[in-house]
């Protein structure tokens, strides 16, 4: 039952921000080409994103830019929150420890705790855009989905390992329904996604695309999350791929 993941919230007025209402609050966490690390930013367009975080010329190097293109150019999401955990490419400049972060310093995924104090928004769906199939990252996301700022629970979408034995045998899908069984323990907050999807000329982790589709479905059904459990239109998608098939 995922009916409780949607949270109605309102961006509180301040000298720096114009009040704006929102329902499903997407929070993307990952690396960026530039910008300030470990600070949530409310973004309303891809141009807005690039002005704050930049974007690598090579597709796929910075997870946040990928998420921004999907959210704003493919799915036409009105706004979303972005948190950069580090500047540069994954593996070389930003590693899994940067992504996990530190609870005391509120870095990495723990910067989620800054979203409400800074923006007045309660996260609904948290989407790791790098290392999203790593168990340590899922544990950190899980920790930050429960009682955000001591009050609110939300949900997160993660990637299932593409070569998971329960799903793939050689080059064949054995049992795609077993993706669901990859849920972390008894968590009711983690939504497993698999594999990658092709949007135009870009290969995107399924958790990024599905999160945007869920937000769109919430809007279509007057922000009643329970209505999002049926089939969602994925018209922007031209295929589903394992990374080795690209």
């Amino acid at each position: 039952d995922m009916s409780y993941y949607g949270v109605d919230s309102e961006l509180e007025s301040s000298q720096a921000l114009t009040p704006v209402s929102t329902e499903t609050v997407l929070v993307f966490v990952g690396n960026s080409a530039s910008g300030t690390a470990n600070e949530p930013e409310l973004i309303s367009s891809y141009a807005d994103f690039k002005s704050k975080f930049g974007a690598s010329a090579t597709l796929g190097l910075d997870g946040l830019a990928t998420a921004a293109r999907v959210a704003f150019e493919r799915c036409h999401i009105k706004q979303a929150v972005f948190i950069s955990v580090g500047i540069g490419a994954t593996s070389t400049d930003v590693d899994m420890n940067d992504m996990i972060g530190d609870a005391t310093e509120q870095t990495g995924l723990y910067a989620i705790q800054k979203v409400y104090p800074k923006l007045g928004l309660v996260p609904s769906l948290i989407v790791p855009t790098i290392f999203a199939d790593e168990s340590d990252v899922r544990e950190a996301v899980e920790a930050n989905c429960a009682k955000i700022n001591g009050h609110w629970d939300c949900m997160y979408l993660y990637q299932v390992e593409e070569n998971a034995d329960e799903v793939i045998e050689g080059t064949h899908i054995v049992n795609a329904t077993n993706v669901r069984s990859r849920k972390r323990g008894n968590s009711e907050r983690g939504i497993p996604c698999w594999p990658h999807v092709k949007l135009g000329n870009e290969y995107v982790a399924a958790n990024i695309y599905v999160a945007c589709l869920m937000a769109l479905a919430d809007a279509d059904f007057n922000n009643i999350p329970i209505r999002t459990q049926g089939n969602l239109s994925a018209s922007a998608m031209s295929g589903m791929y394992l990374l080795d098939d690209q």
Side-chain angles (χ1 to χ4, degrees), residues 46-64:
Y46 188 51
D48 184 18
F49 173 85
K50 289 195 293 184
S51 72
K52 292 183 173 68
F53 292 108
S56 300
T58 303
L59 295 179
L61 284 185
D62 37 345
L64 287 189

Side-chain angles (χ1 to χ4, degrees), residues 136-164:
D136 288 347
V137 169
R138 290 201 300 271
E139 289 179 5
V141 182
E142 179 87 13
N144 282 284
C145 282
K147 301 304 177 191
I148 300 173
N149 302 118
H151 297 285
W152 303 286
D153 294 336
C154 72
M155 300 194 76
Y156 65 98
L157 294 90
Y158 65 92
Q159 283 291 107
V160 172
E161 299 91 332
E162 293 199 343
N163 62 348

Side-chain angles (χ1 to χ4, degrees), residues 122-142:
V122 179
S124 304
L125 294 172
I126 296 173
V127 188
T129 64
I130 55 175
F131 306 113
D133 61 348
E134 295 286 348
S135 60
D136 288 347
V137 169
R138 290 201 300 271
E139 289 179 5
V141 182
E142 179 87 13

